Amino acid sequence: SIDLDFQGNQITGKALGRFGDGIGRCGKLTKLKLDFWHNKITDLALGRFGEGIGQCAFLTSFAVSFSGNIIIGETLKQFGAGVARCAQLTSLHLNFTGNQVTDQTLGQFAEGIARCAKLATL
């Protein structure tokens, strides 16, 4: 179980992809909770971040807040598809409050996350 809080920092997302890659190497991780509220994260590495998380084969619960950042959703489909690779995922909580996600990018995210076969709580 990992619970990390990065609220109110200067994270821009440039290293977010590498961070996701690192988390993805935690082979036995089952629960992950991350809070990136009020940073400066953009779409730049959101897709790669999701792909990294998708490497967590035993992840059952994933909660992440990107509230109050600068995300418009251009890579939400890639993010969703990456997370959907977590074959054991049953619970997913995402918070994108205070960003600029559009109808189109939200639909693309839904396409990506739709592959979560065991997801019971969203």
Side-chain angles (χ1 to χ4, degrees), residues 38-101:
H38 197 59
N39 279 279
K40 297 178 181 181
I41 295 172
T42 65
D43 290 273
L44 183 63
L46 195 60
R48 182 174 165 201
F49 173 75
E51 290 174 353
I53 298 301
Q55 298 300 312
C56 297
F58 297 103
L59 194 65
T60 58
S61 177
F62 179 43
V64 63
S65 175
F66 288 110
S67 184
N69 283 281
I70 315 167
I71 297 169
I72 58 175
E74 292 176 344
T75 58
L76 274 179
K77 183 176 183 178
Q78 185 182 0
F79 171 77
V83 171
R85 289 195 339 237
C86 297
Q88 302 301 316
L89 194 64
T90 58
S91 177
L92 178 63
H93 179 82
L94 304 171
N95 185 347
F96 286 96
T97 303
N99 285 281
Q100 298 162 9
V101 176

Side-chain angles (χ1 to χ4, degrees), residues 28-47:
K28 296 183 180 187
L29 185 65
T30 59
K31 184 176 179 182
L32 178 60
K33 183 178 178 185
L34 302 169
D35 193 342
F36 293 103
W37 176 79
H38 197 59
N39 279 279
K40 297 178 181 181
I41 295 172
T42 65
D43 290 273
L44 183 63
L46 195 60

